[in-house]
C-alpha cells in the first residue's frame, strides 16, 4: 500500500470512528452554523493531512483529538480577532411554533446553554472539558493537551464546580 493509500485508510477509519465527536467539538467551538460547517470541514482536512505524518507512536484517538482541537483552537483565535461581538439575525435560534413552547425550549436549551458556556471558556479549559465530555481518561487528555494528568484532573474538578455553580437555579424561597 502506498503512503497516500495508508493516509486515506487512516482518515476513513478516524472519520468513521470520531465523526460524531468532531461534530460535537465544532458545536462547542462555534455558534454560527455556516462557520461551524467551515470549522468541521477544516477539521477533516487537517486530520487527513496529518495522517501523512502519523507514525503510530500514540493512540489513534490521541492523534485525532490533538489535531482537531488544535484546528478548533486556531479557529476560535481567528474568530475572536475578527468578530465584533455582534450577532447576525440569522444566528438567532428559530422560535418554537407556540403549540408547546416550554417543551421545545427545554429540549434544545440545555445543550445550547452548555455549548455557549463552553465557548466562553479559554481554549485550554475548553479542550479539557470537551475531551472529558467525550469520556477520555485524564491520562489521554494530558497526552493530547501536553499537561500532566494531575493538572488535567484538577482542571476538570474546577470546571465541573464552575459549571455546577453557573447552572444552579436561583433559590426563590
Amino acid at each position: 500500500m502506498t503512503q497516500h493509500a495508508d493516509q486515506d485508510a487512516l482518515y476513513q477509519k478516524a472519520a468513521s470512528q470520531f465523526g460524531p465527536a468532531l461534530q460535537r467539538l465544532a458545536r462547542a467551538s462555534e455558534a454560527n452554523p455556516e462557520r461551524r460547517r467551515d470549522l468541521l470541514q477544516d477539521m477533516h482536512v487537517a486530520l487527513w493531512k496529518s495522517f501523512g505524518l502519523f507514525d503510530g507512536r500514540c493512540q489513534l484517538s490521541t492523534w485525532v483529538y490533538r489535531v482537531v482541537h488544535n484546528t478548533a483552537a486556531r479557529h476560535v483565535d481567528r474568530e475572536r480577532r475578527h468578530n465584533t461581538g455582534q450577532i447576525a439575525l440569522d444566528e438567532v435560534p428559530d422560535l418554537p411554533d407556540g403549540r408547546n413552547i416550554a417543551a421545545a425550549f427545554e429540549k434544545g436549551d440545555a445543550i445550547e446553554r452548555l455549548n455557549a458556556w463552553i465557548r466562553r471558556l479559554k481554549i485550554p479549559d475548553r479542550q479539557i472539558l470537551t475531551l472529558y465530555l467525550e469520556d477520555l481518561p485524564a491520562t489521554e487528555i494530558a497526552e493530547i493537551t501536553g499537561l500532566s494528568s494531575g493538572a488535567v484532573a484538577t482542571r476538570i474538578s474546577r470546571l465541573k464546580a464552575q459549571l455546577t455553580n453557573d447552572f444552579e437555579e436561583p433559590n426563590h424561597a
Side-chain angles (χ1 to χ4, degrees):
M1 216 193 287
T2 67
Q3 180 183 359
H4 187 69
D6 289 342
Q7 185 175 357
D8 287 345
L10 279 169
Y11 168 75
Q12 289 298 324
K13 179 179 179 182
S16 173
Q17 188 173 349
F18 300 102
L22 271 64
Q23 290 177 359
R24 288 187 294 271
L25 174 60
R27 199 170 27 256
S29 298
E30 177 57 65
N32 179 286
E34 286 182 35
R35 290 193 300 258
R36 185 182 316 133
R37 281 189 295 276
D38 291 344
L39 171 58
L40 189 58
Q41 183 177 14
D42 290 348
M43 288 174 170
H44 280 279
V45 169
L47 192 56
W48 180 82
K49 286 180 178 179
S50 78
F51 283 125
L53 303 171
F54 183 68
D55 59 10
R57 285 190 287 169
C58 65
Q59 294 179 47
L60 179 64
S61 61
T62 301
W63 184 269
V64 168
Y65 284 120
R66 186 179 298 147
V67 169
V68 299
H69 274 271
N70 287 338
T71 303
R74 283 190 302 275
H75 171 83
V76 169
D77 283 343
R78 187 174 55 246
E79 288 300 314
R80 278 196 183 133
R81 283 193 305 271
H82 297 353
N83 191 349
T84 62
Q86 297 177 346
I87 176 169
L89 185 58
D90 62 347
E91 293 178 43
V92 175
D94 292 332
L95 296 175
D97 65 5
R99 284 176 279 195
N100 192 347
I101 292 174
F105 182 75
E106 286 178 17
K107 180 179 178 183
D109 186 52
I111 291 175
E112 187 48 43
R113 282 181 60 207
L114 176 61
N115 283 328
W117 187 85
I118 291 170
R119 285 189 293 267
R120 289 191 300 269
L121 295 173
K122 292 181 180 171
I123 290 174
D125 287 342
R126 182 183 307 182
Q127 287 180 313
I128 290 168
L129 187 59
T130 56
L131 291 167
Y132 173 77
L133 292 173
E134 292 297 327
D135 290 328
L136 270 68
T139 53
E140 192 169 349
I141 294 172
E143 191 174 338
I144 292 165
T145 61
L147 299 170
S148 70
S149 294
V152 167
T154 299
R155 283 192 185 197
I156 289 170
S157 177
R158 181 181 53 78
L159 288 165
K160 286 168 57 177
Q162 183 180 345
L163 179 64
T164 300
N165 185 53
D166 289 351
F167 278 77
E168 274 183 352
E169 294 290 327
N171 201 356
H172 300 325

